[in-house]
Amino acid sequence: MKLYEAVRSSASFRVRIALNLKGLPYESEVLDLRAGDHLRERYARINPMRAVPTLEDGEHRVAQSMAIVEYLEETHPEPPLFPSSPLERARVRAMAQLVACEMHPLNNLRVLSYLEREMSLSAQGRDLWYGHWVQEGFRSLEPMLAGSESGRFCHGDSPTVADVFLVPQVVNAQRFKVDLADFPRVVAIFDRCMKLPAFERAHPANHPAAG
Ligand SMILES: N[C@@H](CCC(=O)N[C@@H](CS)C(=O)NCC(=O)O)C(=O)O
C-alpha cells in the first residue's frame, strides 16, 4: 500500500496511526502542502479533492481519512478499531466525526489561508479563530468521555477509531498553543495513546521526512 500524505497533516496522521495499529507496512509519498504540491495537476488526478491523505492499494485509491480507516478495518479486521456492537460503533464514530466534521474543517490549511489572505485576518486573529473552534469541539468531547463506556481510552481499554482521530487534533492544538486545561479527560487519553508505539511512531515529529 502507498500513502500520499503530509507530515503535519492531521488527517494523514490518523491514517498513519491506523496502519501502525494494524501492523500494516506501507510506502509513503510526502507532499508539501505549503508549497502547494496537492494543488498540482498530477495530484489532482490522484485525488480530485486535492487534499491528503489518499491511500493506494494496488490499482485502487481511497480518499478521506474516515473512509480509509474503515477500508483498513474491513480488509484487515485485526486488531479491531471499531467495537463489536452497533451502539458502541455509533459511539466511537460520533467522537471521531466530532473531530473530523466539526473541528478539523474549520481549521484546515485552506480555511486559515482564506481567512488571512481574502478576509485580511491577522496571524493573531487566525490563532484566535483556531483556538475557539478547537476549544468548542473539546468542550463537547470532554463530557462524552465521562461515561462508563470510556476507560483507559475514548471507548474501553484499547484504542479505537475515536482515539485515532482525537490524538492528531490534540497535537495540532498543541502546535497552536491552545489551552487544554479545561479538558483533563482529553489530555489524559492523549497521554495514554502517546505511550503506545503505533501512535508515537505516527507523530509528525517522528516522521522520517520531518524537517
Ligand atoms: N476530511 C478530509 C480532510 C482532508 C484534508 O483536508 N486534509 C488537509 C491536511 S490535514 C489538506 O490536505 N489540506 C490542504 C488544504 O487545505 O489546502 C479527510 O479526513 O481526509
Side-chain angles (χ1 to χ4, degrees), residues 167-178:
V167 162
Q169 193 62 61
V170 172
V171 169
N172 246 14
Q174 290 173 334
R175 197 174 116 222
F176 278 81
K177 302 192 172 24
V178 178

Side-chain angles (χ1 to χ4, degrees), residues 6 8-15 33 36 38-39 43 47 49-54 63-68 100-101 104-105 107-113 165 172:
R8 291 204 305 200
S9 141
S10 60
S12 305
F13 187 178
R14 297 169 192 159
V15 176
L33 301 185
H38 59 304
L39 305 175
Y43 186 67
N47 182 342
M49 293 176 224
R50 294 193 277 185
V52 288
T54 306
Q64 287 285 349
S65 59
M66 180 53 98
I68 295 171
C101 308
H104 178 260
N107 293 326
N108 208 345
L109 176 62
R110 58 184 168 271
V111 171
L112 298 182
S113 305
F165 277 61
N172 246 14

